[in-house]
């Protein structure tokens, strides 16, 4: 055993006591971040190189600050995004919905599909689509200026390393309701991970104290923003265009009805996340609704 691995074991025990869900993984990831190595390379750090700042970061995690705020990074599909105060930390659940959209765009017989990401936050969904479907044109909408600054930072970061994303992601300071009126009836795919937590519901401290309120809460049933996304999608989509919207695990049936109760949607479907919980709804716009 190395000194660092001994310290990681102690830190994991401390994080477990503090109620952290994945204490060993978090202790290892903090150690890797502090020592600038991969998680699988911790045994290579020499005892003399042990950096005591490790324990300062463990104390932050024990106080339930999100791991991604401590390391400053969040992984999303093939991206490493910069995150911190003021922006929602992208979640693995959203990777599944984004993968669905990427697969549908791959099948679409459209040279340069127009895609709208409503509530882009860090830019996670828009950047992943731009990276994996390089011919797509992305319109990323975000009302919150703090979140938008993180999206700008991530888009610039990837504009350098992936030159084909340059100019293919447009960030828009707008509200879902009135966003992108000049694109009405032309968009091929609308995707959104909107706020969907019912006001007053319990969430872990990592969420309630660090994710921005505008990214979380959405009326008494949690569906206010999803209803607006439904209306905005019907306005933006061309006939045959697709929508995908994320929701909370207990909201699958309710979100299915948000779409099926309105005329003009067809092929409305519930989809599950990797844990087998209802997680997003997709539908096709017929072009014939009110
Ligand atoms: C749950 S976060 C999702 C962020 C990112 N798409 C992701 O999946 O990681 C929702 C985002 O929508 C933004 N938002 C909430 N209501 C909005 C509205 N009415 N108009 C525009 N953006 C909004 C929030 O500021 C937040 O960044």
């Amino acid at each position: 055993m190395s000194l660092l691995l001994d310290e990681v074991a102690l830190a994991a025990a401390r994080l477990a006591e503090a109620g952290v869900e994945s204490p060993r993984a978090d202790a290892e990831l903090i150690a890797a971040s502090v020592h600038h190595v991969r998680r699988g390379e911790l045994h290579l750090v020499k005892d003399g190189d042990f950096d005591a700042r490790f324990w300062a970061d463990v104390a932050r995690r024990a106080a339930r600050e999100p791991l991604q705020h401590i390391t400053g990074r969040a992984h999303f599909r093939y991206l490493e995004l910069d995150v911190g105060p003021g922006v929602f930390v992208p979640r693995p659940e959203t990777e599944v919905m984004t993968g669905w959209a990427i697969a549908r765009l791959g099948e679409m017989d459209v040279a340069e599909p127009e895609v709208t990401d409503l509530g882009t936050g860090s830019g996670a969904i828009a950047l992943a689509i731009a990276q994996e479907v390089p011919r797509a044109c992305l319109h990323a909408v975000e009302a919150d200026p703090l979140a938008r600054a993180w999206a700008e930072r991530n888009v610039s970061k990837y504009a350098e390393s992936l030159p084909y994303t340059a100019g293919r992601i447009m960030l828009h300071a707008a509200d879902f309701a009135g966003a992108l009126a000049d694109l009405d009836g032309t968009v091929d795919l609308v995707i959104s991970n909107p706020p969907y937590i019912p006001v007053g519901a319990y969430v872990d401290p990592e969420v309630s104290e660090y994710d921005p309120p505008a990214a979380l809460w959405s009326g008494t049933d949690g569906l206010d923003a999803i209803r607006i996304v439904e209306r905005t999608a019907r306005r933006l989509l061309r006939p045959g265009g697709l929508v995908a919207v994320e929701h909370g695990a207990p909201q699958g049936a309710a979100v299915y009805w948000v779409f099926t109760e309105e005329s003009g949607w067809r092929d409305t479907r519930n989809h599950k996340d990797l844990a087998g919980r209802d997680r997003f709804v997709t539908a096709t716009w017929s072009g014939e609704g009110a």
Side-chain angles (χ1 to χ4, degrees):
M1 278 285 261
S2 70
L3 172 64
L4 180 56
L5 290 178
D6 287 342
E7 300 290 305
V8 164
L10 291 172
R14 177 156 168 206
L15 295 181
E17 263 172 43
V20 170
E21 207 175 287
S22 46
R24 177 82 203 187
D26 285 19
E28 289 180 358
L29 289 164
I30 290 170
S33 170
V34 168
H35 294 89
H36 306 290
V37 294
R38 291 170 192 275
R39 187 177 166 189
E41 296 171 344
L42 294 176
H43 61 289
L44 300 177
V45 176
K46 296 191 178 76
D47 291 357
D49 291 337
F50 175 71
D51 187 332
R53 279 175 296 184
F54 170 69
W55 279 106
D57 284 356
V58 169
R60 290 169 67 185
R61 187 70 191 101
R64 305 297 294 271
E65 187 171 344
L67 174 71
Q68 295 86 349
H69 281 219
I70 297 166
T71 62
R73 288 189 295 269
H75 292 96
F76 188 83
R77 293 185 67 87
Y78 303 104
L79 301 165
E80 188 181 83
L81 299 163
D82 293 348
V83 293
V87 74
F88 181 83
V89 173
R91 308 292 209 271
E93 298 89 280
T94 310
E95 293 179 312
V96 181
M97 175 174 71
T98 307
W100 179 91
I102 287 165
R104 299 294 79 73
L105 288 165
E107 295 162 0
M108 234 178 231
D109 190 16
V110 178
E112 294 184 289
E114 298 276 348
V115 180
T116 301
D117 172 15
L118 296 178
T120 201
S122 63
I125 297 175
L127 268 164
I129 293 176
Q131 186 183 40
E132 296 179 56
V133 190
R135 63 198 170 83
C137 295
L138 274 299
H139 296 273
V141 172
E142 177 56 58
D144 180 350
L146 277 182
R148 218 168 42 244
W150 285 101
E152 274 161 16
R153 178 166 159 173
N154 283 313
V155 169
S156 318
K157 172 169 140 176
Y158 277 97
E160 281 165 26
S161 58
L162 298 168
Y164 55 81
T165 65
R168 300 198 75 83
I169 305 183
M170 274 126 313
L171 283 172
H172 302 267
D175 190 275
F176 296 154
L180 306 173
D182 49 330
L183 295 182
D184 280 2
T186 68
V187 172
D188 297 288
L189 187 143
V190 171
I191 185 165
S192 182
N193 173 19
Y196 52 70
I197 303 176
V199 170
Y202 173 80
V203 291
D204 287 335
E206 286 90 340
V207 178
S208 59
E209 288 176 31
Y210 293 95
D211 279 320
L216 302 177
W217 313 109
S218 197
T220 49
D221 62 359
L223 299 178
D224 285 7
I226 288 177
R227 292 191 185 94
I228 298 170
V229 167
E230 183 277 324
R231 285 198 292 277
T232 302
R234 64 167 52 227
R235 170 169 66 72
L236 289 173
L237 287 172
R238 56 139 171 107
L242 305 173
V243 64
V245 62
E246 185 171 317
H247 57 73
Q251 296 169 327
V255 176
Y256 179 87
W257 286 110
V258 166
F259 284 86
T260 48
E261 276 175 349
E262 300 294 337
S263 58
W265 294 106
R266 59 178 165 79
D267 302 332
T268 304
R269 284 188 50 205
N270 287 105
H271 301 257
K272 296 193 185 299
D273 60 22
L274 291 173
R277 296 166 302 202
D278 280 346
R279 186 54 65 188
F280 65 102
V281 163
T282 61
T284 304
W285 178 240
S286 68
E288 289 164 9

